[in-house]
Amino acid sequence: MKRYVILLVVCVSVFCLIFSIKDRLSNDEPIGKSSQESTSLDDDILLFEPQTSIQDITLPTQDVTTTDTTTTTTTEDVQQTSSTDYIPLNFDTQKAMWFAFMDYNTILLDKSEDEFRQSIEQRFENAKDLGINTVYVHVRSHGDSYYISDIFPKGKYYNSDFDPLQIMVEVAHEKGLSIHAWINPMRCMDTQLMENLSSDYILKDWCDKYSGTYINEYNGYWYLNPYYEEVRQLICDGVAEIVNNYQVDGINIDDYFYPTTDEDFDSPCFADSNQSDLLQFRRDNVSKMVQEIYSTIKSINPSVEFGISPQGNVDKNYNEQCADVYLWTSTEGYCDYIAPQIYYGFDNSTCPYIDTLNQWIDMNKDSSVKLIIGVGTYKIGLEDVWAGSGSNEWIEDTNIVGCQIDYAFNSSEVDGIAIYSYSSTFEPTGDTSVIDKVNQEREYIKESIAKH
């Protein structure tokens, strides 16, 4: 008898459950995951950092159409990843443009969030129309930040509460552009800005306590000294802050390494090192910094690229700024790409463009490091006072930069080009003849980029 009672209870329970499900199916929303459904910690996706919501991020909703092979990211992919798991958008053939911090004086300082966003949308659209697929945006020029930072003070052209870098990342990805955060790791602010800096910042504290060691003054500016582990750690912490908190596709550093060959600049640490060759001592310091930046990036997101943009003159890199470009291009673990700034005309007496280009190509042969050739539009229509017999080339000749792009891409060793800068390409200043010449040359540049 007891057995039958138990069986009856089970049958009644099953009947009630079926009735309940039927009732829900007839009255509720269709069964399935809602776009507004909250994500639990047990879900197999990662959440964004607290300061970034999914609604704030917009990335390409379709694959980027290009002749290049790219790592493509869709909006759906990004909504399932944090910055550390983000799949970067980078191109096998990089066609880049530098966006320098000086531009923030007109598009960021005293501007609203909407005004800044509109300016960036227009600038990135202009670059894209030119054929650019990668933007290098300046986020640290002088030991400062053009993003929300816990480590560095705001840059002098950043006095608002919104986050410029977050906006630039969103706009770049909406347009299918790769975005690399550009920093100057060693150069800091001038003496007046440092004097007025709050003691809450470590740079100010070091300036007060460790001037001449951790941080040194030269020619009105302060520079971090990469000999010290604490300094390299600060630089790497600043890089980690960007890669952790923003979905950048790369980090780029340029050519502000040692500002002088004067042996007094860092004499205390050189004496402490017990080394005899000052230039090699400095090269080793810079290379340690570079290697640790690379390792920091890769430890967070191995697919985020790290690039270095040294000056075009190889000898000056090696013997003046102590940038060991020979080591960085020949050895894994320092950078993913190198983008020398070959801002020389064809007739430059010291560094003619073709000879300098070939020097970098030869140096980079059989290397896993990608070679991106930097060309400059800022000399168009102007005298090049350091070019010797070629000083009037940029005034007299036409289509110099377009031809330089063609020469670069004619080599199978070259993986891309980078143009300095947006403002000199799209917002030239000076007399009418200069402006007209730049506008004409811009069309040549567009044609050259389109061919490759």
Side-chain angles (χ1 to χ4, degrees):
M1 181 68 179
K2 183 177 180 180
R3 182 181 304 171
Y4 292 113
V5 171
I6 294 173
L7 180 60
L8 178 62
V9 171
V10 171
C11 290
V12 171
S13 299
V14 171
F15 176 81
C16 291
L17 178 61
I18 293 172
F19 181 84
S20 174
I21 293 174
K22 180 179 180 182
D23 184 64
R24 288 181 60 189
L25 286 171
S26 62
N27 294 299
D28 289 353
E29 293 290 327
I31 293 177
K33 287 207 172 185
S34 166
S35 60
Q36 301 300 320
E37 185 177 352
S38 62
T39 304
S40 74
L41 295 178
D42 294 327
D43 289 332
D44 188 25
I45 71 173
L46 296 174
L47 298 176
F48 285 93
E49 296 293 332
Q51 70 272 24
T52 307
S53 68
I54 291 176
Q55 289 82 1
D56 291 333
I57 300 296
T58 308
L59 290 185
T61 55
Q62 59 184 5
D63 289 351
V64 179
T65 303
T66 174
T67 55
D68 300 333
T69 302
T70 68
T71 302
T72 306
T73 305
T74 66
T75 304
E76 183 180 359
D77 295 331
V78 172
Q79 290 180 349
Q80 296 183 15
T81 57
S82 69
S83 296
T84 56
D85 294 306
Y86 164 61
I87 302 173
L89 173 67
N90 282 307
F91 296 82
D92 282 350
T93 302
Q94 192 184 110
K95 300 171 183 178
M97 176 168 275
W98 275 279
F99 291 73
F101 81 97
M102 295 85 76
D103 297 350
Y104 298 143
N105 184 31
T106 56
I107 68 171
L108 177 60
L109 185 65
D110 297 327
K111 302 298 183 183
S112 69
E113 182 174 349
D114 286 343
E115 288 173 324
F116 179 72
R117 183 181 291 272
Q118 289 173 11
S119 294
I120 291 300
E121 286 177 346
Q122 185 61 62
R123 285 164 175 259
F124 285 4
E125 187 62 33
N126 289 342
K128 182 178 179 179
D129 182 66
L130 190 69
I132 297 301
N133 61 23
T134 303
V135 293
Y136 302 157
V137 296
H138 224 161
V139 299
R140 175 155 35 263
S141 63
H142 294 82
D144 49 18
S145 66
Y146 287 93
Y147 63 92
I148 295 175
S149 173
D150 293 328
I151 302 172
F152 296 97
K154 286 183 175 181
K156 64 179 181 179
Y157 300 134
Y158 176 24
N159 61 350
S160 47
D161 294 328
F162 62 86
D163 191 330
L165 180 54
Q166 183 59 42
I167 291 173
M168 291 189 284
V169 168
E170 291 172 8
V171 173
H173 288 160
E174 286 169 2
K175 297 183 181 298
L177 298 171
S178 176
I179 181 167
H180 293 205
W182 165 21
I183 69 171
N184 299 111
M186 291 173 59
R187 182 181 65 178
C188 297
M189 62 277 296
D190 62 35
T191 52
Q192 182 177 356
L193 287 174
M194 182 66 80
E195 183 178 344
N196 296 329
L197 186 63
S198 168
S199 58
D200 293 338
Y201 291 101
I202 192 169
L203 291 181
K204 178 64 172 178
D205 185 59
W206 283 0
C207 185
D208 292 339
K209 297 178 181 178
Y210 303 110
S211 175
T213 54
Y214 286 5
I215 189 167
N216 302 323
E217 188 271 336
Y218 177 76
N219 201 25
Y221 285 86
W222 291 90
Y223 291 82
L224 290 170
N225 185 344
Y227 167 73
Y228 296 97
E229 181 180 353
E230 295 84 353
V231 172
R232 299 195 305 274
Q233 186 61 56
L234 175 67
I235 292 169
C236 289
D237 288 346
V239 170
E241 183 177 54
I242 297 169
V243 180
N244 270 317
N245 295 333
Y246 300 90
Q247 293 184 341
V248 295
D249 304 298
I251 297 289
N252 179 284
I253 65 174
D254 68 6
D255 61 333
Y256 283 93
F257 299 112
Y258 278 92
T260 178
T261 57
D262 188 341
E263 62 185 30
D264 292 333
F265 178 75
D266 54 354
S267 55
C269 65
F270 181 55
D272 180 64
S273 72
N274 294 318
Q275 295 190 32
S276 58
D277 186 335
L278 176 61
L279 293 181
Q280 188 57 49
F281 164 76
R282 290 179 176 177
R283 288 184 206 111
D284 291 343
N285 295 337
V286 175
S287 291
K288 282 181 186 176
M289 177 190 73
V290 166
Q291 193 172 40
E292 289 175 18
I293 292 174
Y294 179 90
S295 297
T296 296
I297 294 168
K298 300 305 178 181
S299 70
I300 300 169
N301 188 331
S303 298
V304 170
E305 291 192 343
F306 176 46
I308 308 172
S309 299
Q311 65 168 294
N313 188 316
V314 174
D315 180 69
K316 286 190 175 183
N317 274 312
Y318 193 73
N319 292 312
E320 293 184 13
Q321 293 190 311
C322 298
D324 194 346
V325 293
Y326 298 104
L327 175 66
W328 304 342
T329 56
S330 64
T331 310
E332 290 188 8
Y334 288 93
C335 59
D336 296 299
Y337 68 87
I338 195 157
Q341 303 169 31
I342 310 181
Y343 304 156
Y344 312 119
F346 292 98
D347 299 330
N348 187 292
S349 296
T350 305
C351 294
Y353 175 79
I354 293 179
D355 290 350
T356 307
L357 171 66
N358 289 333
Q359 185 179 16
W360 281 97
I361 289 173
D362 291 341
M363 190 166 58
N364 209 60
K365 280 183 177 177
D366 302 319
S367 172
S368 62
V369 176
K370 293 189 287 188
L371 178 60
I372 313 297
I373 300 302
V375 294
T377 58
Y378 66 96
K379 293 182 179 180
I380 295 174
L382 301 173
E383 181 185 5
D384 189 356
V385 295
W386 303 107
S389 59
S391 60
N392 291 326
E393 177 182 5
W394 296 90
I395 299 173
E396 298 170 351
D397 295 347
T398 58
N399 195 19
I400 293 176
V401 176
C403 289
Q404 290 180 336
I405 291 171
D406 287 337
Y407 270 102
F409 278 125
N410 283 340
S411 169
S412 61
E413 301 293 332
V414 171
D415 300 290
I417 56 96
I419 299 173
Y420 184 86
S421 66
Y422 175 86
S423 59
S424 62
T425 304
F426 287 97
E427 299 172 348
T429 58
D431 59 38
T432 304
S433 63
V434 173
I435 295 173
D436 290 344
K437 192 172 182 65
V438 172
N439 290 337
Q440 180 187 32
E441 296 258 346
R442 189 168 60 244
E443 294 305 311
Y444 295 144
I445 293 169
K446 183 175 181 178
E447 292 173 5
S448 294
I449 292 175
K451 290 186 291 185
H452 305 284

